[in-house]
Amino acid sequence: MNNGLKKYLLLLVVVFLSAGAQAQCAMCRAALESSDSGIKPEAVNDGIVYLMAFPYILVGLVGFAVYKLRKKKTAKAE
């Protein structure tokens, strides 16, 4: 297996293993345990993960766009 394929496989494993991680901070957990508001902690966890995902997606898209632009620029130079 070449190094590039190993890196992609490792990235996929890390992404899929981290999907089940708990995303609640200690303060959110304490507030949910002490209140009887009817909010399920799983719903709060899902909301936190949902909000956390977008900055990573945006950074990934910007990085990909920069990569494509640099690749196109070096192809024109050759």
Side-chain angles (χ1 to χ4, degrees):
M1 235 190 280
N2 61 13
N3 284 338
L5 184 58
K6 285 182 184 180
K7 288 179 184 178
Y8 287 121
L9 287 175
L10 179 63
L11 178 67
L12 285 174
V13 168
V14 168
V15 167
F16 286 118
L17 288 179
S18 66
Q22 295 293 324
Q24 234 177 45
C25 67
M27 291 178 64
C28 295
R29 183 181 305 264
L32 286 172
E33 287 175 353
S34 66
S35 72
D36 293 329
S37 62
I39 300 173
K40 294 183 179 180
E42 294 85 15
V44 174
N45 280 343
D46 293 342
I48 292 169
V49 171
Y50 178 75
L51 290 172
M52 181 189 69
F54 282 104
Y56 289 104
I57 292 170
L58 289 174
V59 168
L61 289 174
V62 168
F64 182 72
V66 168
Y67 168 74
K68 290 298 262 185
L69 288 173
R70 290 184 63 120
K71 187 175 178 183
K72 187 184 291 187
K73 187 177 180 181
T74 57
K76 283 184 179 179
E78 293 176 356

